[in-house]
Amino acid sequence: MAAKGRTAKFYASNPEAYKKKLAYDKKRNERPEQKKYRAELARERRARGIMGKGGKDVSHTADGKFKLESPKTNRARNGHGKNSKVASGKGTKKSKR
């Protein structure tokens, strides 16, 4: 198992902040646009035959395609606040589905 990152260490030592984060995540994940986003990524993972097998994340790129990427890199990119970004580089075409 990999060592905990900076954020995981923070939440492990700050249970109140972790509870606040869980409440926010629950509310965010209930939104219809977030469900659609997750469904799109799951559809692509199924098409590639990697659904449920762990490993790399399927990430959106700036040109609307998908790219396999390390989970740590993919999930850390947006950081905190309104500086949303997508993966750089060329992705592969979306699956036909």
Side-chain angles (χ1 to χ4, degrees):
M1 181 166 262
K4 284 185 178 182
R6 187 177 70 186
T7 304
K9 288 177 187 174
F10 171 80
Y11 286 126
S13 62
N14 294 280
E16 286 300 315
Y18 185 59
K19 280 177 65 175
K20 184 177 177 181
K21 175 199 180 308
L22 290 180
Y24 170 78
D25 287 348
K26 181 178 180 186
K27 194 171 184 179
R28 180 172 190 245
N29 286 324
E30 289 173 350
R31 296 191 319 218
E33 62 269 19
Q34 192 63 23
K35 288 180 180 180
K36 182 181 174 189
Y37 180 85
R38 289 195 317 270
E40 184 179 24
L41 292 173
R43 190 177 310 117
E44 184 64 23
R45 287 186 65 80
R46 277 190 209 97
R48 291 178 184 225
I50 57 174
M51 183 70 156
K53 297 187 175 161
K56 296 192 172 194
D57 279 355
V58 174
S59 170
H60 288 94
T61 60
D63 60 1
K65 297 180 179 178
F66 295 107
K67 173 181 181 178
L68 286 180
E69 187 171 39
S70 128
K72 187 168 184 175
T73 304
N74 183 32
R75 297 171 196 181
R77 178 178 305 106
N78 286 325
H80 182 73
K82 297 182 179 180
N83 57 343
S84 181
K85 298 175 188 136
V86 292
S88 60
K90 294 187 177 186
T92 56
K93 291 181 182 175
K94 292 185 177 185
S95 62
K96 303 275 187 200
R97 225 173 156 203

